[in-house]
Amino acid sequence: MSGIHWIVIAFVVIAGLGFWSWQQSAKQLKKLQASGFIISTDLKGNPKLLLDEENRLLALVGPTSYRVYELQQVRNLEYKYDSNAQVEMNHRIEISLQNTTTDQETVVYEDEWIAQDKFKLLQSKLR
């Protein structure tokens, strides 16, 4: 096999895994909504960050599970990123929680502008 064949195979495998992950996340999202969670704000990210403003809830939805917290459990929000000499990467919102088995949740975004925009929006919803 030539190099181009390996590239095509790698692309197909990556696309297949992405599609599978999307399908699994969609199933978790349906389960979340079936539990009574009403999506009022979709803050995107990985895992997907959702708000139910009516019931004052926050949910994180991934391909294998979803987690729901009351907004009053959010102790602190931080916008963070890692950088190296060439590129800033790994822009994320870190959500510190109280009275939960998890002290912190992290939501990752693809770039700085989206992460900062979602961070400001989440801050405004918590007030």
Side-chain angles (χ1 to χ4, degrees), residues 40-103:
S40 55
T41 305
D42 183 349
L43 296 165
K44 311 281 186 219
N46 185 22
K48 185 179 282 248
L49 176 58
L50 304 167
L51 294 178
D52 176 344
E53 294 177 55
E54 182 179 323
N55 297 308
R56 306 273 307 146
L57 299 171
L58 172 147
L60 296 157
V61 180
T64 59
S65 66
Y66 67 85
R67 296 169 303 285
V68 178
Y69 304 102
E70 294 178 7
L71 289 181
Q72 66 191 27
Q73 291 177 289
V74 176
R75 183 178 55 224
N76 189 37
L77 293 176
E78 288 186 84
Y79 164 74
K80 291 189 173 183
Y81 66 92
D82 299 323
S83 65
N84 60 26
Q86 297 175 352
V87 182
E88 293 180 355
M89 58 185 192
N90 198 17
H91 297 274
R92 63 195 182 275
I93 296 173
E94 291 186 355
I95 305 167
S96 298
L97 300 161
Q98 57 190 4
N99 302 325
T100 65
T101 57
T102 305
D103 290 339

Side-chain angles (χ1 to χ4, degrees), residues 16-59:
L17 288 173
F19 180 71
W20 176 85
S21 179
W22 175 81
Q23 272 188 320
Q24 298 304 311
S25 292
K27 286 179 185 177
Q28 293 301 320
L29 183 59
K30 285 183 181 186
K31 287 181 185 178
L32 173 67
Q33 289 175 304
S35 75
F37 191 93
I38 302 165
I39 300 171
S40 55
T41 305
D42 183 349
L43 296 165
K44 311 281 186 219
N46 185 22
K48 185 179 282 248
L49 176 58
L50 304 167
L51 294 178
D52 176 344
E53 294 177 55
E54 182 179 323
N55 297 308
R56 306 273 307 146
L57 299 171
L58 172 147

